[in-house]
Amino acid sequence: MKIIDLRSDTVTLPSPEMRQAMANAELGDDVFGEDPTVNRLQEMAAATLGKEAALLTTSGTQSNLTALLTHCRRGDEVIVGAESHTLIFEVGGAWAVGGLGLRPVRNDDRGRLDMAEVRAAIRGDNEHFPRTGLICLENTHNRCGGAVLNEEDLSSVRELADRKGFPVHMDGARLFNAAVALGVPVSRLAAYADSVCFSLSKGLGCPVGSALCGSREFIAEARRYRKMLGGGMRQAGVLAAAGVYALERMVDRLADDHENARLAAEGLADIPGIDLAPPPQTNLVYFTVDGWKLPEFVRRLEEAGVLCFDEGGRIRWVMHFGIERSDVEEALARLRPVMAAGA
Ligand code: TLP
């Protein structure tokens, strides 16, 4: 039985062509700035996002923490969404490593920050208060169902940050999904933030990596923090070659993942006891299942050869490179008898 792995788009494996590009990569020592393939990827990433410079990091988690450390001073407060990956899934690095406070504000079900809460969270100029050092956005928004922040959503945050005089960082782990869903160049969305990171290792199909993009000055400083976090890699061109290949060949295919998510959602909506939570906008499909303890539901699906996660009260199915339309149909076909048999 073929295992259909819908746990995350992080499970993607490099294609034979991507592996070939990795094997053929021209290499050097990137801590000396001498890896031509890393340099090429960083130039491509910066140009694609419309920023001056970029930095290859080991992961989205490392990109986000590097960005926070670069923007802020010890003791600063960072405004983040209450449902953000940075707050929930990044091991509290901002607190533990950076001495930064994370100040959560409400995310609505479309991943937007509640602007009234943001305004209330911004600190005044008073020596008793920490400084507000940064505001973070997530696009697409993972726990808000892969929701897309459009230009109107982004501009309201940008305007406020400009008025109050602090920068904006965007966790764009799935920013290419947002751009493909909106049908705009990714640079249009990146323009609203001072720094933006995107994952190479999710829908773009690379085995490892993320790129952090920003001004030349910001990236020069970020290099120091990446090194501090253990991210100064040497012949990293082996990894960067996958990223170059992905930026050239893997972006357009994200539309297939979105189409498969729509197909999955349609099938799920027809099954009694299942509710979409919310309907998908990109490649993430969240749903609730009536009458089941979710760990048991996940176990029964696993027995049927469909892997997924229980994300705290909801099930998440993720579409990615390696999941075809026929796999979605098969996953639905395996799910129906599980639901019919009951908890
Ligand atoms: N998300 C992973 C898990 O960590 C939950 C997933 O399976 O979705 N920002 C966002 C919005 C993310 O979804 C993730 C990974 C990251 C950052 C961190 O990226 P990595 O895993 O490369 O550190």
Side-chain angles (χ1 to χ4, degrees):
M1 177 173 60
K2 179 183 176 187
I3 302 296
I4 302 171
D5 191 346
L6 304 177
R7 289 173 301 169
S8 181
D9 41 10
T10 59
V11 303
T12 53
L13 298 176
S15 64
E17 296 79 16
M18 184 180 275
R19 284 175 188 258
Q20 197 56 53
M22 295 170 77
N24 294 341
E26 212 187 318
L27 304 176
D29 189 326
D30 179 53
V31 174
F32 303 157
E34 289 174 3
D35 189 300
T37 312
V38 171
N39 292 340
R40 174 144 182 250
L41 171 65
Q42 291 176 166
E43 281 159 23
M44 278 177 79
T48 308
L49 268 72
K51 299 293 182 199
E52 285 175 1
L55 188 65
L56 173 64
T57 69
T58 58
S59 65
T61 301
Q62 190 181 62
S63 273
N64 284 331
L65 184 53
T66 300
L68 266 57
L69 292 171
T70 308
H71 282 297
C72 297
R73 280 179 284 184
R74 234 183 142 66
D76 281 0
E77 209 166 52
V78 178
I79 298 176
V80 294
E83 299 298 330
S84 65
H85 194 276
T86 296
L87 179 70
I88 298 174
F89 291 123
E90 295 177 19
V91 212
W95 288 295
V97 181
L100 302 171
L102 295 180
R103 179 86 182 264
V105 301
R106 206 174 67 82
N107 281 117
D108 70 11
D109 57 5
R110 287 188 34 209
R112 297 176 297 193
L113 299 177
D114 181 310
M115 293 306 285
E117 285 196 20
V118 171
R119 277 188 286 273
I122 296 170
R123 300 291 189 162
D125 183 15
N126 179 321
E127 73 173 15
H128 296 83
F129 298 159
R131 284 189 196 89
T132 298
L134 180 68
I135 184 163
C136 291
L137 297 171
E138 187 174 312
N139 200 11
T140 65
H141 201 291
N142 183 345
R143 283 174 58 85
C144 297
V148 175
L149 298 181
N150 61 30
E151 291 190 72
E152 197 184 327
D153 304 329
L154 298 170
S155 68
S156 54
V157 173
R158 177 76 264 172
E159 276 165 27
L160 184 62
D162 283 346
R163 205 151 12 93
K164 298 290 181 179
F166 51 79
V168 178
H169 171 67
M170 185 148 53
D171 174 357
R174 298 186 179 85
L175 190 63
F176 283 89
N177 294 84
V180 165
L182 291 170
V184 300
V186 75
S187 57
R188 283 267 288 276
L189 305 177
Y192 293 91
D194 299 276
S195 59
V196 183
C197 61
F198 69 87
S199 283
L200 293 163
S201 62
K202 297 193 171 71
L204 298 182
C206 301
V208 178
S210 162
L212 175 61
C213 306
S215 70
R216 220 178 302 289
E217 195 188 1
F218 173 85
I219 292 298
E221 192 61 12
R223 262 187 93 85
R224 299 178 73 88
Y225 284 112
R226 181 190 67 170
K227 181 81 177 151
M228 192 188 283
L229 298 174
M233 298 177 281
R234 300 291 177 174
Q235 283 71 33
V238 171
L239 303 175
V244 169
Y245 179 90
L247 287 179
E248 284 172 346
R249 308 282 179 84
M250 302 289 280
V251 174
D252 292 345
R253 60 151 301 282
L254 295 174
D256 300 341
D257 295 343
H258 300 177
E259 185 50 39
N260 285 338
R262 267 193 294 276
L263 180 72
E266 266 171 40
L268 289 165
D270 278 348
I271 300 173
I274 288 188
D275 279 310
L276 295 166
Q281 292 186 27
T282 52
N283 68 322
L284 309 181
V285 186
Y286 282 89
F287 56 95
T288 55
V289 194
D290 278 353
W292 285 79
K293 290 205 164 48
L294 290 189
E296 175 59 13
F297 178 79
V298 168
R299 200 185 61 73
R300 293 274 288 281
L301 265 190
E302 186 177 346
E303 279 171 9
V306 178
L307 307 186
C308 56
F309 280 135
D310 155 13
E311 294 277 348
R314 295 177 299 168
I315 297 293
R316 186 181 77 161
W317 279 10
V318 184
M319 304 300 141
H320 55 80
F321 179 57
I323 297 295
E324 307 295 337
R325 187 185 172 87
S326 55
D327 297 315
V328 177
E329 284 161 353
E330 178 63 22
L332 289 166
R334 292 181 194 178
L335 169 65
R336 285 187 196 101
V338 170
M339 286 299 285

